Amino acid sequence: MVRDRVGDWRLAWRFALAGLLGGLLILALSSIGLVESPFQAAQDQLFPGPAPDPNLAFVEVDSRSQKALGTFPWQNSYNARVINYLAKLHPKVILFDIPLDHLTGVDVETGEKTDDLLTTAIRSAGNVVLVCTADVAPRPEFSTVAAAIGDRNLAAPDAADVVRGAPLRPQSTCPENEADEPAFIQALRLATGISSPLKIARDGSSAQLGPHNVPLVDDQMLINFTRGSAKACSYVDAYNSSCPDPSLITNHIVVVGTKLIDGGDVYSQALSFPHPYEAGFCPPSRRDCMQPNQNYGYRILGYAISTVLDDRYVRTQPHSSTLLAILLFAIVVGLWVYLLSLRTAMVFTGAVLILYYGGVFVLGQQGYLSDPVYTPIAIVLAATFSLAARYVLEERERRKVERIFGRYVDPRIAQQLAASRSVEEIISKGERKDITLLFVDIRGFTAMSEAMAAEDVQAVIHEYLEEMSTLILKWSG
């Protein structure tokens, strides 16, 4: 009987308003950034993580190289020897992600001028890109003969303390980086023959690099991190001119970097994947040296190259779209939770959450990162608020029924009527009992009532019913 009022469309707006209130609370929560770190951490799990790019290869200064060649860094003649070997295999470009900021002079054992050897090797290769930062720049002996100089800094960590992308215009860089571009862009230019300038849209939403239209998020390009290890050759193998598969170098983009856990080039990235000891991520003495979401900087630069090279960009849901989704889902869920039965409403809320997360996952695999936190919280909060408002309505209606019927029937019967689901339930269901009926009349009532005022008649009836009701209810009548 009370629940006849629940599900009434005339009251539906109140529950849509309850859902809207939940949505507005989530909007306030998102604006103050209280759960920004969990939001970023959850969204990081949506990065698609494609397979390694077949156009990319790494030459790695790993623990095996350090064991064979001695403590890193080495003489510049070692770097010269590696570059000469790689150049003979004709790679598209060599991104040398090892700062060449010092001279090593003459080799005391061989008498070779190590710096001259490196200068000659870089000049002869003709496609070596050197890296720098605002604080560390390559020596003029090397920078003047390199094909290009680029900045190697990545974007600042997000609220979850992970690196998501790379800026296309470094905030500060070395004077030798005349193009004011990151090193991976310079490597892309050499590898693909792009000579047109990098153009960034006025609103900062995208950048044009030759045929590549690169979307930007907060002035950075989000990197589509690779899940797993790409093709690689150990530095010591390149030093000895014995990479296991030279075809991995020929006509490939080659990134040379340090794969040493204590080399200071380890970052937390958005994507997590296992680091098997067999793949050389960790030295034999420290097989669990890295967390699943950690990676080496030179590899992240390689992932940045493949992101643009293959046009496999990562985009985030626009802020306005997130706000709209929060409000829309909150209103719809708040409304339907009221219109449905309690059990169906709970199932409906769970189904909406499952479908939402399923859609978020599918979009993530396509490179679109949606809201994994705020909208689901809004859905749950809207359902909670709607159920709370529904409970208040039922209690209010139940008390009204008890108050009205309690004046004429046993309060227990009034409570039973209030607890009924509908009028049909009262009519269709009954209970067989043996009862006693007593018909009572007030002697001379007709004549008496004709001679009395209406108010006096009502007072007499109330007094009579009060006495009789007390006696009848005393014996469960």
Side-chain angles (χ1 to χ4, degrees), residues 243-261:
C243 280
D245 187 0
S247 65
L248 300 182
I249 306 299
T250 303
N251 208 33
H252 282 68
I253 298 174
V254 178
V255 181
V256 182
T258 55
K259 195 179 184 180
L260 300 173
I261 189 62

Side-chain angles (χ1 to χ4, degrees), residues 160-198:
D161 199 29
V162 303
V163 171
R164 282 185 157 207
L168 299 191
R169 287 293 187 198
Q171 292 184 353
S172 59
T173 186
C174 64
E176 291 80 4
N177 183 7
E178 297 178 355
D180 192 26
E181 292 180 348
F184 76 90
I185 293 293
Q186 296 281 21
L188 272 170
R189 289 186 177 279
L190 288 175
T192 59
I194 297 175
S195 58
S196 57
L198 175 67

Side-chain angles (χ1 to χ4, degrees), residues 279-402:
F281 280 91
C282 297
S285 59
R286 299 165 63 186
R287 297 196 175 201
D288 298 320
C289 66
M290 299 176 69
Q291 295 296 322
N293 72 324
Q294 289 183 313
N295 209 341
Y296 294 100
Y298 73 95
R299 285 181 167 266
I300 297 178
L301 287 181
Y303 301 155
I305 292 175
S306 62
T307 298
V308 179
L309 187 64
D310 300 328
D311 290 317
R312 54 187 189 189
Y313 305 110
V314 178
R315 298 171 174 84
T316 59
Q317 184 177 0
H319 184 63
S320 58
S321 173
T322 302
L323 300 183
L324 181 61
I326 290 173
L327 294 178
L328 183 61
F329 274 96
I331 293 173
V332 171
V333 170
L335 177 62
W336 280 100
V337 164
Y338 159 69
L339 294 174
L340 301 173
S341 66
L342 179 59
R343 183 176 299 176
T344 305
M346 296 178 66
V347 173
F348 171 77
T349 304
V352 170
L353 287 172
I354 292 174
L355 290 174
Y356 180 83
Y357 273 116
V360 166
F361 176 78
V362 171
L363 289 174
Q365 296 306 299
Q366 302 301 318
Y368 294 90
L369 305 183
S370 303
D371 166 27
V373 173
Y374 294 120
T375 301
I377 293 179
I379 291 173
V380 174
L381 201 58
T384 303
F385 280 15
S386 185
L387 287 174
R390 177 179 179 149
Y391 175 78
V392 171
L393 174 63
E394 289 188 0
E395 282 299 308
R396 187 181 67 182
E397 292 296 314
R398 180 178 290 109
R399 291 178 183 179
K400 182 189 296 185
V401 170
E402 292 177 358

